[in-house]
Amino acid sequence: MGVDTAAGHSWAERSRQAVWHPCTQMKVHTQFPPRAIVSAQGPWLIDDQGHRILDAVSSWWVNLFGHNFGPIREAIVDQLGKLDHIMLAGLTHPPVVELSERLSALTGLGHAFYASDGASATEIALKMSAHSWRNRGRPQKNQFIGLQGGYHGETAGALSVTDIPLFREAYAPLLRLSATLPSPAFVDTPVAIDALGAYLAAHHEHTAALILEPLVQGAAGMAMYSPDYLLAVRRLCDQYEVHWIADEIAVGFGRTGTMFAHQQAVAPSGAAVKPDFICLSKGLTGGVMALSAVLTTDAVYAAFWDDRTTHGFLHSHSYTGNPLACCAALAVLDTFAQRDADGQDVLARNAVAAQRLTELTAPLSRHPRIKAARHIGMIWAWDVDTSEPTFAARYHRAALDAGLLLRPIGSTLYMMPPYVLTEDEQRFLADGALQVLDQVLAEVDQLPDAQGPIVPVP
Ligand SMILES: *Cc1c(COP(=O)(O)O)cnc(C)c1O
């Protein structure tokens, strides 16, 4: 460990030479090299110098139960001795069958279709929706709607329903852009509902689906909105025969307090509303293996049921339904299903932990330079009063030095920790985040007036 003396260069330097890092202007690494992590345990990352860093963003929102979590590790190791990987066309295997059955029981949607990452899940849902209308003799229903500030991944189809200019602008000429409607995270809910109603009234004949992130628009800076909007989405999508795709890639698996975020939208009858498609990834394997899934209704599935090959959904990825990844996901579902000695499950324990972290971060919420604080489930966000474009990068670096992995999005500081922090670790996080804020604000307040806009990189 430590410096690789054979090459005479640190891991960070070798990485800078050999690895093209995601979501990164590589030139920045000349001055600020990436941190080399050599091991991890629970919420702690250990770098090649032996420093401990608390992973307060769950490594880009994927990790649920900490790193090196026993049940997931054991499930993968056990499966590795039985069956590593097989193609899923013409073949099947127990882990993928069991996972599909259990996801269906949890969501009320079924026919699980698998890929390896979130963006691919988005692509699959969009293609399935449009293809199902085509198979139903309505090929003109092939346009999509996204929400202002929405994020659904970075492959071309996913980018075309993403409204984050930073990610989309350079590739706009390559994309078939969708309609972008006002988001209830940024306008009053009734205004957003009226805008959707008016759009659908005019364009439903050409619209296949509306895609959105239920309750929290992560990449927009943890922008949050009321479940009332989702009730209206269900009603309007039914009225105008348009699919609703719920992108639960970030908010699924307990992040918002319920297993899935859309389940917080409850109709007056008491029934939770159901989307036509659910996209899952990130927490699906507890942040350990690359896996995503798309679930849909019997009606959509039936639209592909035919003697003609071309009416089938002929999409595929080499690693579709990888057995090791499915076993990791099964271990995650087992963990959610278990109760501790006090009869509490993960969601109940999270509710207690969330209350405590909310209290511990109250001084941060009350800080004079915090313009707005918001919280849902296991996600917290604070808008910082600064227009300094380098705020997020400076905060990220200062936090690492203080033993915290935090990456503000623009001027929004947020926490999305794994569900396993002890009270002491929560206090370390809350106190550290506040201290780093003061330190970084003192630093940026010394700078000459900000040049250029804030670039919000998640
Ligand atoms: C991360 C994310 C995606 C994309 O997932 P990848 O695995 O990064 O491709 C899509 N939608 C949402 C809401 C996400 O947060």
Side-chain angles (χ1 to χ4, degrees):
M1 275 205 296
V3 172
D4 181 347
T5 46
H9 291 295
S10 66
W11 288 115
E13 176 56 18
R14 287 170 62 187
S15 190
R16 199 176 68 75
Q17 297 287 346
V19 180
W20 198 333
H21 289 267
C23 206
T24 299
Q25 169 49 265
M26 286 301 291
K27 192 175 180 193
V28 170
H29 280 329
T30 325
Q31 202 184 349
F32 304 107
R35 203 54 93 89
I37 305 299
V38 292
S39 67
Q41 183 65 45
W44 296 98
L45 312 178
I46 320 294
D47 77 5
D48 60 352
Q49 308 299 309
H51 297 123
R52 285 158 59 81
I53 298 159
L54 186 84
D55 186 352
V57 297
S58 297
S59 284
W60 258 349
W61 325 343
V62 300
N63 192 290
L64 297 184
F65 305 118
H67 297 269
N68 199 11
F69 179 58
I72 296 178
R73 184 185 63 241
E74 284 151 25
I76 294 170
V77 169
D78 179 58
Q79 180 59 34
L80 192 54
K82 295 180 190 158
L83 173 67
D84 45 13
H85 178 74
I86 51 162
M87 60 191 284
L88 200 62
L91 304 174
T92 193
H93 55 78
V96 78
V97 174
E98 208 186 320
L99 179 59
S100 306
E101 290 171 352
R102 289 178 64 179
L103 289 175
S104 172
L106 277 173
T107 60
L109 297 184
H111 317 289
F113 196 101
Y114 294 92
S116 316
D117 54 74
S120 302
T122 301
E123 303 273 345
I124 287 162
L126 297 174
K127 284 176 68 179
M128 259 185 195
S129 171
H131 193 169
S132 73
W133 292 120
R134 176 187 159 93
N135 283 352
R136 290 275 185 233
R138 303 173 73 179
Q140 73 286 0
K141 279 174 83 68
N142 61 32
Q143 305 280 334
F144 301 105
I145 307 172
L147 294 186
Q148 170 196 7
Y151 177 84
H152 302 288
E154 320 228 8
T155 53
L159 257 191
S160 73
V161 288
T162 286
D163 180 44
I164 307 276
L166 171 68
F167 299 141
R168 196 167 78 176
E169 230 158 64
Y171 313 103
L174 315 182
L175 309 177
R176 176 173 172 277
L177 294 181
S178 61
T180 301
L181 295 188
S183 161
F186 305 113
V187 301
D188 290 341
T189 303
V191 174
I193 293 171
D194 286 348
L196 177 60
Y199 183 88
L200 288 176
H203 301 285
H204 65 97
E205 280 173 11
H206 296 275
T207 304
L210 160 69
I211 184 166
L212 55 74
E213 299 153 271
L215 302 191
V216 184
Q217 295 185 285
M222 302 299 154
M224 299 177 188
Y225 64 87
S226 155
D228 290 348
Y229 181 72
L230 301 178
L231 289 175
V233 163
R234 182 66 283 169
R235 180 172 50 77
L236 290 166
C237 285
D238 282 343
Q239 181 183 343
Y240 289 108
E241 295 186 295
V242 165
H243 292 141
W244 166 25
I245 303 170
D247 177 350
E248 294 256 0
I249 290 166
V251 292
F253 300 100
R255 288 292 182 195
T256 66
T258 43
M259 189 64 168
F260 300 107
H262 74 267
Q263 293 170 335
Q264 294 185 35
V266 178
S269 70
V273 301
K274 247 192 302 182
D276 299 289
F277 294 86
I278 300 176
C279 300
L280 301 173
S281 190
K282 293 203 164 106
L284 176 57
T285 65
V288 178
M289 300 282 298
L291 182 71
S292 62
V294 177
L295 306 166
T296 189
T297 59
D298 293 345
V300 168
Y301 185 72
F304 293 85
W305 186 268
D306 201 279
D307 290 323
R308 289 161 289 186
T309 303
T310 52
H311 278 229
F313 189 61
L314 304 184
H315 187 104
S316 67
H317 296 283
S318 310
Y319 282 100
T320 294
N322 173 263
L324 303 174
C326 289
C327 281
L330 285 167
V332 166
L333 297 188
D334 285 343
T335 303
F336 274 104
Q338 273 157 17
R339 289 172 187 277
D340 61 20
D342 301 325
Q344 305 272 293
D345 63 5
V346 170
L347 296 178
R349 286 197 301 273
N350 279 358
V352 176
Q355 168 97 35
R356 209 168 50 209
L357 188 56
T358 299
E359 283 162 18
L360 289 169
T361 53
L364 184 57
S365 301
R366 283 196 305 265
H367 192 283
R369 295 287 289 274
I370 295 297
K371 292 188 292 185
R374 55 191 170 273
H375 159 238
I376 184 173
M378 295 297 277
I379 306 174
W380 291 259
W382 299 266
D383 295 334
V384 180
D385 181 12
T386 178
S387 53
E388 170 52 41
T390 60
F391 169 79
R394 287 172 190 270
Y395 191 101
H396 172 60
R397 292 194 299 268
L400 280 178
D401 289 340
L404 292 171
L405 179 59
L406 286 166
R407 281 173 64 105
I409 300 172
S411 55
T412 298
L413 170 62
Y414 76 90
M415 296 174 185
M416 206 200 273
Y419 302 161
V420 295
L421 300 198
T422 62
E423 188 169 347
D424 281 349
E425 288 163 343
Q426 285 186 323
R427 185 167 288 114
F428 178 78
L429 169 57
D431 293 352
L434 179 62
Q435 178 232 308
V436 171
L437 179 67
D438 279 328
Q439 179 191 329
V440 173
L441 284 174
E443 196 179 297
V444 300
D445 288 347
Q446 299 296 311
L447 298 171
D449 271 352
Q451 299 293 313
I454 290 199
V455 179
V457 185

